[in-house]
Amino acid sequence: MIEPLRLLIEDYEEEAVKFFSNILSRIGLTPLRPLKSLLLSTLILSILDSKRWSWHIFSLESVVKETWRFISHVGDMDDIALFKDLDLLETAIEDTEKLIRLSDIDRTNFVDTIRFFAMFLSSVKTDELRDFYSFSSRLRAFVMDKLSIMLSEEAYKHKARYFGQLVVLDREQSYRISQMSLLCFPIVDLRTSDTYLYLLGKVLKIWNNPPLSKFHCPMDPSVIRVGVRIGLFSKKFKTSRHGGFRYRIFQNIARDIFPNDPTKLYVLRYIGETLCKSHKQLCEGCPFFGICKYYIMSEEV
């Protein structure tokens, strides 16, 4: 099964990347936009996308709309200084449909993450962000020198293990440095950081020669759903929390199939968003139907 699956995924990767590119372009996120705007606005979208179930946003369509509502109410997305303003961010949340319902702790962590990341972007030159290795280095420096001081005592305790890992990471481990640095921000989890780096590195292609073999595939529920149905993952993955043991298994599977670029497995999300939805499956139009256990079993019934 693995070899046919690998070939099918590679056949559809370009189509999947184009799909996500079109999603980003709907809120003005294209390679033509200023780099700092892309870095900040893509982070906001990645947060909402990774939290879409727990925050009751649900669909990717709703994620896009809610991201735009929030950003547009803050003001010009190219004006990074606006996103450092606590009052503006709080007011913008009041004009949304979903974010306004956040718990106090989620709301605070969301706003603080945006403010702190905008501060990071304001503290560096644009040219220092164009190279992935430079981006990871500058981000780690900001996190260790400034973010560690700005976080509340409670927030720092919650993120302390990531700060600890940043201390020991070798500078050549640029993906892990970027990932761990992002995880130090209050609202960011592994799915957020992996989605963010995927969108920037593979879809928007803002960096020259990013180390794709070291990238992690975002462990999105749609990827898991399709993976379980075709028999790539066990059903236990459906109920697993993001992170921990199953996260490592997931990344190992992605790397075993695509050692040069594990993020190719994210094509399964494209299939999940367009054909293999949770309550509506268009099996006969799916390129994976020939190797899909779910389809074969439904045909036998």
Side-chain angles (χ1 to χ4, degrees):
M1 170 194 158
I2 296 299
E3 184 60 17
L5 176 63
R6 183 183 66 79
L7 294 174
L8 282 169
I9 287 177
E10 289 187 333
D11 284 344
Y12 279 85
E13 189 195 15
E14 183 176 347
E15 190 173 314
V17 169
K18 185 177 180 180
F19 170 81
F20 293 115
S21 177
N22 289 337
I23 292 294
L24 295 177
S25 68
R26 289 174 55 188
I27 55 174
L29 299 181
T30 74
L32 298 177
R33 186 164 291 281
L35 181 56
K36 289 185 178 182
S37 301
L38 289 179
L39 288 166
L40 182 58
S41 296
T42 303
L43 178 62
I44 295 170
L45 182 139
S46 298
I47 293 169
L48 269 63
D49 183 57
S50 65
K51 306 288 187 183
R52 67 186 186 277
W53 293 105
S54 60
W55 287 2
H56 299 98
I57 302 174
F58 300 125
S59 70
L60 185 56
E61 176 73 17
S62 295
V63 167
V64 172
K65 289 181 178 179
E66 191 72 352
T67 300
W68 178 245
R69 285 191 196 99
F70 175 74
I71 291 175
S72 62
H73 280 100
V74 174
D76 183 357
M77 71 165 66
D78 294 337
D79 189 348
I80 300 300
L82 295 177
F83 293 84
K84 296 189 290 182
D85 189 314
L86 176 60
D87 291 336
L88 275 178
L89 297 178
E90 290 285 2
T91 301
I93 287 180
E94 293 299 317
D95 291 321
T96 62
E97 290 186 5
K98 307 293 185 179
L99 296 178
I100 195 173
R101 303 174 187 173
L102 292 180
S103 66
D104 289 344
I105 185 63
D106 279 349
R107 180 169 176 151
T108 297
N109 286 340
F110 175 65
V111 168
D112 283 349
T113 294
I114 296 169
R115 286 198 305 124
F116 296 154
F117 200 78
M119 292 176 190
F120 158 65
L121 293 174
S122 298
S123 71
V124 295
K125 297 177 181 178
T126 299
D127 287 345
E128 295 177 312
L129 303 170
R130 297 189 187 281
D131 175 78
F132 186 77
Y133 296 93
S134 178
F135 166 79
S136 65
S137 175
R138 296 295 182 272
L139 183 58
R140 174 161 68 172
F142 174 85
V143 167
M144 298 301 293
D145 297 341
K146 298 181 180 180
L147 182 62
S148 59
I149 300 172
M150 292 188 289
L151 290 179
S152 67
E153 182 178 352
E154 186 63 28
Y156 184 83
K157 286 181 180 179
H158 183 65
K159 297 289 186 173
R161 63 187 182 278
Y162 303 126
F163 282 96
Q165 290 185 52
L166 272 180
V167 173
V168 300
L169 283 173
D170 184 272
R171 65 180 182 178
E172 297 301 318
Q173 296 176 276
S174 56
Y175 185 86
R176 289 287 288 165
I177 290 172
S178 296
Q179 185 190 53
M180 289 299 113
S181 296
L182 289 165
L183 286 169
C184 290
F185 287 83
I187 203 65
V188 175
D189 59 17
L190 276 167
R191 189 181 300 150
T192 305
S193 62
D194 291 343
T195 300
Y196 179 63
L197 295 171
Y198 169 82
L199 292 175
L200 293 173
K202 283 293 294 286
V203 179
L204 291 169
K205 297 180 173 63
I206 68 167
W207 297 301
N208 293 323
N209 301 316
L212 293 178
S213 64
K214 304 298 183 183
F215 271 45
H216 288 195
C217 180
M219 192 175 170
D220 188 85
S222 295
V223 176
I224 299 301
R225 181 178 66 251
V226 176
V228 169
R229 286 176 175 172
I230 64 178
L232 183 61
F233 307 126
S234 72
K235 291 183 178 180
K236 293 180 180 179
F237 273 85
K238 283 187 175 181
T239 57
S240 65
R241 296 182 63 185
H242 189 74
F245 178 64
R246 289 201 177 96
Y247 176 80
R248 293 194 295 274
I249 293 177
F250 176 86
Q251 297 304 332
N252 287 338
I253 291 172
R255 188 156 281 108
D256 285 344
I257 301 174
F258 301 106
N260 295 326
D261 181 4
T263 67
K264 288 183 178 181
L265 193 63
Y266 205 57
V267 168
L268 296 187
R269 180 172 185 190
Y270 164 63
I271 298 298
E273 293 287 349
T274 57
L275 297 169
C276 192
K277 299 183 179 182
S278 56
H279 299 297
K280 184 179 181 181
Q281 301 84 44
L282 303 176
C283 295
E284 293 183 0
C286 179
F288 296 158
F289 78 93
I291 60 172
C292 179
K293 290 185 177 181
Y294 181 89
Y295 175 75
I296 293 171
M297 290 176 64
S298 64
E299 285 294 290
E300 290 176 351
V301 173

